[in-house]
Amino acid sequence: MSDIPKKILILFAHPSQSRSEVNSPLFEASKTIDNVTTVDLYSEYPTFRINIDIEQQRLRDHDVIVFMFPLYWYSTPAILKEWQDLVLEYGFAYGSNGTALHGKSFLCSLTAGGSEKAYRSEGYNHFTIRELLQPLEQTADLTGMQFLAPFALFGSRTAVEEKRIHAHVDDWKEVLVALRDNKMDLVLASELSKLNHDLPRLIKDYS
């Protein structure tokens, strides 16, 4: 395994942070990890005037790209879609000369208000989280990135009362450190339905 730590970019999108009980703690915890760059998109671009040059350079400078967001209507909050539409340009992210993202890893850290059983073929929402993220998985494939399973928390509306936040944040920090230190089994991570199903199997000590 490589001894060179990876650089991780977290693009955080939450349009109502004052009401965020899970994503905001995750985002704040991410700031404590070395080699992690955190960007609050709604704070940085309150009028949605995204600086394409800055965002493309951020992508060039990092090895792992993370979208962190609450699942809104089975998709990302609006600013992440705007970011994709503007930043992932032809000739940069795809096309014969668009190779800037080749070899990088991409994953989503997300929360869903419904229970995990609601995100099944026989459940209320009819599809798994991974299936609902297929447009992003295909985006990763088109741009030459390795798509990793999402890091997901279900039942986010009751997570505080059920005291599930602390363990979830700790698991996320463990994921970030493993990705940074090249101790994540990326092949297995790309095959799972979600990353936090089996962290002990995913994270290896290669020293």
Side-chain angles (χ1 to χ4, degrees):
M1 301 299 294
S2 173
D3 292 329
I4 302 173
K6 289 182 177 176
K7 295 180 180 179
I8 302 171
L9 174 65
I10 297 178
L11 300 171
F12 175 56
H14 199 304
S16 185
Q17 290 183 38
S18 63
R19 297 165 57 195
S20 172
E21 297 180 324
V22 183
N23 285 279
S24 287
L26 280 176
F27 186 62
E28 292 304 313
S30 302
K31 297 177 181 179
T32 68
I33 307 297
D34 290 340
N35 273 39
V36 174
T37 300
T38 55
V39 179
D40 182 342
L41 290 176
Y42 275 104
S43 175
E44 191 145 339
Y45 302 113
T47 62
F48 277 51
R49 294 174 63 88
I50 292 171
N51 188 313
I52 296 171
D53 291 337
I54 286 177
E55 296 305 316
Q56 288 182 350
Q57 191 57 50
R58 282 174 171 155
L59 291 174
R60 291 188 186 96
D61 291 343
H62 293 82
D63 309 297
V64 181
I65 314 302
V66 179
F67 282 3
M68 180 179 285
F69 60 94
L71 193 71
Y72 275 21
W73 286 106
Y74 312 110
S75 185
T76 67
I79 201 167
L80 268 177
K81 183 60 168 66
E82 181 77 353
W83 183 96
Q84 293 171 71
D85 292 346
L86 296 177
V87 176
L88 302 180
E89 293 180 312
Y90 179 85
F92 169 77
Y94 69 102
S96 58
N97 296 316
T99 59
L101 305 182
H102 282 198
K104 299 180 187 294
S105 298
F106 172 74
L107 70 145
C108 296
S109 171
L110 62 90
T111 57
S115 66
E116 187 164 6
K117 68 181 180 181
Y119 290 90
R120 297 174 182 168
S121 59
E122 69 279 11
Y124 181 81
N125 293 309
H126 304 301
F127 299 96
T128 67
I129 282 289
R130 175 109 189 208
E131 288 170 336
L132 291 170
L133 294 176
Q134 283 181 349
L136 290 174
E137 184 165 356
Q138 175 57 24
T139 297
D141 185 71
L142 180 66
T143 58
M145 294 190 289
Q146 183 177 22
F147 184 84
L148 307 182
F151 182 85
L153 179 77
F154 296 94
S156 60
R157 297 188 189 95
T158 58
V160 171
E161 301 89 90
E162 294 167 358
K163 296 180 170 40
R164 291 187 285 126
I165 305 294
H166 183 75
H168 188 69
V169 169
D170 283 348
D171 284 349
W172 176 239
K173 290 166 69 175
E174 188 177 359
V175 165
L176 288 177
V177 170
L179 286 168
R180 181 197 66 191
D181 294 344
N182 298 288
K183 292 184 176 180
M184 174 78 70
D185 184 336
L186 297 181
V187 173
L188 179 59
S190 68
E191 296 170 349
L192 296 175
S193 59
K194 71 171 189 171
L195 281 187
N196 30 339
H197 268 155
D198 197 349
L199 288 184
R201 221 165 37 109
L202 272 174
I203 299 172
K204 307 295 184 181
D205 186 359
Y206 293 102
S207 59

